[in-house]
Amino acid sequence: MNPVTDQNMPAWRLREPEPPTESIRSLARDLEISPILCRLLYQRGMTTYDDMHFFLSPGLRYLGSLEDWEGLSQGAEIIASSIDKNEKIAVWGDYDVDGITSVALIKDFFAQRGLSILAVLPHRLEDGYGLNCREIETLAREGVKTLITVDCGISNFKEVKRARELGIKVVLTDHHQPGEILPQACAIINPRLVSCPHSELSGVGTAFFLMAALNRILPGQKTDIRRFLDLVALGTIADLVRLDRTNRILVKNGLLLLNQAERPGIFALKEASGINGNDGIGAGEVGFGLGPRINAAGRLDDPVIALELLLTKDLSLARKLASRLNKLNDQRRKTEEEILAQARDMAESMSEYRGLVLFNPDWHPGVIGIVASRIVDEFHRPCFVLTKEDGMIKGSGRSIGEFNLYENLCSLSRILERFGGHSQAAGLSLVPERLDDFREKFNDQVISSIGPEPIAREIVLDAGLDFDQLSPELISELELLQPFGPGNPRPVFLSSELLVQDQVLFGNDKHVRFSFKEEKSGIILKGQFWRQGKKWAKTSITGKKAILAYTPAVNTYRGVTSIRLNIKEILSVR
């Protein structure tokens, strides 16, 4: 494959609408921001002063009333009644970042009220995802009377029924897509289930609102609920939910707490991630630094390690736990790269398939979700990556924007033992005899939904931005758009035509670095194209002219500050 041929270049377009120049100048002046930032806000739907002011300063006062969420108070009242009766309470979560931060938030809230509850985090290899009857029966023997689920439970019909048979009241909180039939819990709190102003919440966001409702009705001094927003930001960013109005408020304010790092566990985790104390934390640092290390506990070991890290008050212990997570994350990376290479070869051999189902019984179940994401990024096709566990085939899927994974799995439910998830991410299990059937029918479902032809990946560019417009001050101002994520991507700019002066591989040849000269200004900047070393190893474009999709960044090395380009795509070469 020659990466410089036109047919291999992605499609691209500039974001619309084109804002009126005079309005942009006026709004920028009133808001005291640059016209470039003002234009970006306008193109993202903020067309008035109030819209832009909220987006830049989304205070907690914008969250609205708890009464707007039907069923929230019911769940809080059940828990409050259990506390009043001095009953034993347990919280049950998932083993990913969203689930672990959810359990940590509820445990910490109870501790702030002088109360203790049990925590259950299933082991991925021993227990699998969600509730299980064995552990529920153990909780019943230990005298638990109320069980709060976080980030799980909406598809656990049998397990919730068993809990009720054993006299356990279940307050079920989850944010995954509910089916037509619901578990018989005493209360179900799911933002996708009822009329709710916060439909895109993560599991930890849902837990936060439940604790806010509980905080309001418990007797005694109220807890400052804002102190838990660091956990909310951590789980929300890591779970890749859409950063709608509510999530923007929660995450923007939570990032302030993550920067302060008053929790010893967060402080130690930042150290282990190589984030210096003076460095600001944005969604990128959470998504690529803090989140993967917490996730590594549940993927390869015991999620309780990460829970203990988030809750400990002892910095010395926190550093030991963070170091352990760091080693697990290194192990996760190595395992992931090995599986990715095999999955990539498999995907390349299935060019006729529009939907990919990749299977190897020896793949580690803890990293196949990440591998599925990487395969979708490279091949731009919906993909499931599956392995074998306890005689069953299980795995994770990721999708492209045009294909709703969960809805299409509903159409295949008769050949699946279990499934659940969102439009862009899902998990499933099936008996081995059904694997070939699932592979063919999943491919048919993709073709039926989005057509038989490959869908070209499209790059949406925010604006053209020449090198002489770049400055450290502008790049710093662009950070006001944080947090970045689904629904609010980091701005990507279009370059003018640039002369490629140099091209070298680095990072064990995984990445490629270019030097670009903008001829009309004479400015030379370096650009890094991450994870593209293999693609560009055999093709040099030195001496040619290229147009880039890029994001600018400030790089400081040995006290010298410079501007670097993070290349998203090379759009044309001639």
Side-chain angles (χ1 to χ4, degrees):
M1 179 182 291
N2 185 339
V4 304
T5 54
D6 287 341
Q7 61 266 32
N8 290 314
M9 297 298 178
W12 61 273
R13 63 179 173 85
L14 285 168
R15 191 183 295 274
E16 298 178 349
E18 183 67 27
T21 304
E22 279 305 313
S23 295
I24 292 299
R25 287 176 181 166
S26 175
L27 286 166
R29 184 173 58 251
D30 293 344
L31 288 160
E32 298 182 341
I33 59 177
S34 70
I36 291 175
L37 178 60
C38 191
R39 175 180 175 173
L40 295 176
L41 289 167
Y42 192 98
Q43 290 177 315
R44 291 171 189 230
M46 277 63 70
T47 58
T48 67
Y49 176 92
D50 288 341
D51 290 341
M52 292 185 182
H53 188 273
F54 160 75
F55 197 84
L56 296 173
S57 302
L60 294 170
R61 66 184 181 279
Y62 292 112
L63 280 176
S65 173
L66 295 172
E67 283 80 7
D68 293 339
W69 190 338
E70 181 186 340
L72 191 66
S73 60
Q74 179 189 359
E77 287 165 3
I78 292 170
I79 299 169
S81 174
S82 194
I83 293 171
D84 184 58
K85 296 174 184 175
N86 202 29
E87 294 178 341
K88 188 174 284 190
I89 299 172
V91 56
W92 189 313
D94 186 19
Y95 39 63
D96 67 359
V97 182
D98 194 17
I100 294 168
T101 52
S102 300
V103 172
L105 188 153
I106 291 181
K107 282 272 292 180
D108 198 15
F109 173 83
F110 274 79
Q112 298 302 323
R113 304 285 308 203
L115 302 166
S116 177
I117 62 172
L118 296 176
V120 180
L121 284 172
H123 193 289
R124 181 186 292 266
L125 296 180
E126 296 174 7
D127 305 308
Y129 170 76
L131 309 179
N132 67 75
C133 290
R134 175 178 51 79
E135 187 63 33
I136 285 173
E137 289 165 358
T138 299
L139 293 177
R141 288 194 295 271
E142 293 177 357
V144 169
K145 296 300 181 184
T146 299
L147 174 63
I148 307 166
T149 80
V150 287
D151 194 33
C152 65
I154 199 66
S155 60
N156 289 124
F157 309 102
K158 177 181 66 176
E159 294 81 2
V160 171
K161 180 181 179 183
R162 182 58 179 151
R164 295 195 67 162
E165 290 171 351
L166 294 169
I168 298 175
K169 300 182 287 290
V170 178
V171 176
L172 193 160
T173 83
D174 200 348
H175 72 120
H176 295 96
Q177 188 68 43
E180 294 182 4
I181 302 173
L182 299 174
Q184 296 180 334
C186 296
I188 298 179
I189 301 161
N190 186 320
R192 299 176 183 272
L193 186 60
V194 295
S195 176
C196 170
H198 319 296
S199 60
E200 298 293 332
L201 279 177
S202 61
V204 69
T206 305
F208 173 80
F209 276 96
L210 176 60
M211 291 302 100
L214 179 60
N215 191 46
R216 190 177 58 176
I217 63 176
L218 287 178
Q221 185 175 357
K222 304 306 178 191
T223 298
D224 185 354
I225 201 74
R226 295 172 298 180
R227 66 184 302 151
F228 307 113
L229 287 172
D230 55 348
L231 299 174
V232 176
L234 191 52
T236 299
I237 293 170
D239 215 49
L240 296 175
V241 294
R242 184 175 177 82
L243 294 175
D244 65 352
R245 182 182 177 90
T246 297
N247 284 332
R248 179 167 183 80
I249 296 168
L250 297 177
V251 172
K252 185 85 169 183
N253 288 278
L255 285 172
L256 298 176
L257 295 184
L258 288 174
N259 273 292
Q260 295 169 10
E262 292 184 358
R263 290 181 190 272
I266 297 296
F267 185 89
L269 200 59
K270 286 174 67 175
E271 283 186 333
S273 304
I275 300 171
N276 296 321
N278 295 327
D279 291 346
I281 285 191
E285 287 72 25
V286 174
F288 296 102
L290 307 185
R293 285 165 173 80
I294 293 175
N295 246 337
R299 292 186 186 282
L300 300 182
D301 201 327
D302 190 339
V304 173
I305 303 168
L307 178 65
E308 188 178 358
L309 171 75
L310 294 176
L311 294 177
T312 184
K313 307 299 182 188
D314 183 338
L315 181 56
S316 176
L317 175 60
R319 281 175 165 149
K320 291 177 182 176
L321 293 169
S323 175
R324 187 172 173 187
L325 291 183
N326 209 36
K327 291 175 181 175
L328 284 172
N329 192 50
D330 289 342
Q331 181 184 340
R332 186 270 306 169
R333 283 176 178 160
K334 182 179 179 181
T335 303
E336 175 193 326
E337 289 298 328
E338 291 171 352
I339 294 175
L340 177 62
Q342 297 171 22
R344 184 186 289 120
D345 290 343
M346 201 176 292
E348 287 175 348
S349 71
M350 298 173 64
S351 59
E352 73 278 14
Y353 282 82
R354 299 277 67 83
L356 299 171
V357 176
L358 313 178
F359 168 72
N360 185 315
D362 299 322
W363 285 343
H364 195 295
V367 301
I368 55 178
I370 310 173
V371 171
S373 295
R374 298 276 297 275
I375 292 293
V376 171
D377 287 344
E378 291 185 30
F379 292 85
H380 200 63
R381 282 180 270 174
C383 174
F384 272 93
V385 179
L386 307 176
T387 188
K388 198 166 188 178
E389 289 184 78
D390 301 323
M392 296 288 289
I393 291 177
K394 301 179 182 180
S396 297
R398 299 293 185 269
S399 193
I400 59 177
E402 296 84 356
F403 184 77
N404 188 309
L405 209 54
Y406 179 81
E407 288 183 0
N408 281 281
L409 283 182
C410 290
S411 301
L412 302 177
S413 60
R414 65 179 182 81
I415 60 176
L416 302 174
E417 293 297 304
R418 192 171 178 179
F419 70 95
H422 313 288
S423 65
Q424 298 298 290
L428 61 78
S429 64
L430 69 158
V431 296
E433 294 78 16
R434 288 286 198 178
L435 175 60
D436 291 338
D437 195 19
F438 174 67
R439 179 179 285 116
E440 297 303 322
K441 285 186 167 51
F442 180 68
N443 183 57
D444 292 342
Q445 198 71 27
V446 174
I447 293 172
S448 174
S449 177
I450 59 178
E453 299 301 319
I455 294 179
R457 189 159 57 91
E458 183 181 62
I459 304 295
V460 179
L461 302 162
D462 291 84
L465 194 65
D466 294 337
F467 284 4
D468 59 2
Q469 295 176 277
L470 291 173
S471 68
E473 292 75 23
L474 174 64
I475 295 169
S476 177
E477 187 184 38
L478 293 177
E479 291 301 301
L480 293 173
L481 294 172
Q482 286 270 13
F484 299 120
N488 185 44
R490 183 179 286 277
V492 180
F493 298 104
L494 177 68
S495 75
S496 58
E497 193 171 62
L498 309 170
L499 176 64
V500 184
Q501 293 192 318
D502 191 26
Q503 174 181 334
V504 295
L505 299 177
F506 69 101
N508 294 322
D509 295 346
K510 288 182 182 179
H511 320 295
V512 59
R513 181 182 293 116
F514 299 91
S515 290
F516 300 103
K517 181 177 182 180
E518 186 180 66
E519 294 185 284
K520 61 183 177 181
S521 68
I523 296 173
I524 298 172
L525 294 176
K526 293 187 181 298
Q528 299 164 139
F529 208 172
W530 302 103
R531 291 177 174 169
Q532 296 296 315
K534 180 180 178 182
K535 179 177 178 180
W536 291 89
K538 297 179 180 178
T539 302
S540 173
I541 58 173
T542 300
K544 296 182 180 292
K545 293 186 177 181
I547 296 176
L548 309 179
Y550 74 94
T551 62
V554 173
N555 181 64
T556 301
Y557 181 67
R558 294 182 177 176
V560 177
T561 297
S562 62
I563 294 173
R564 291 286 179 91
L565 311 178
N566 288 320
I567 302 168
K568 295 301 178 184
E569 283 292 349
I570 295 178
L571 301 175
S572 73
V573 175
R574 69 176 184 89

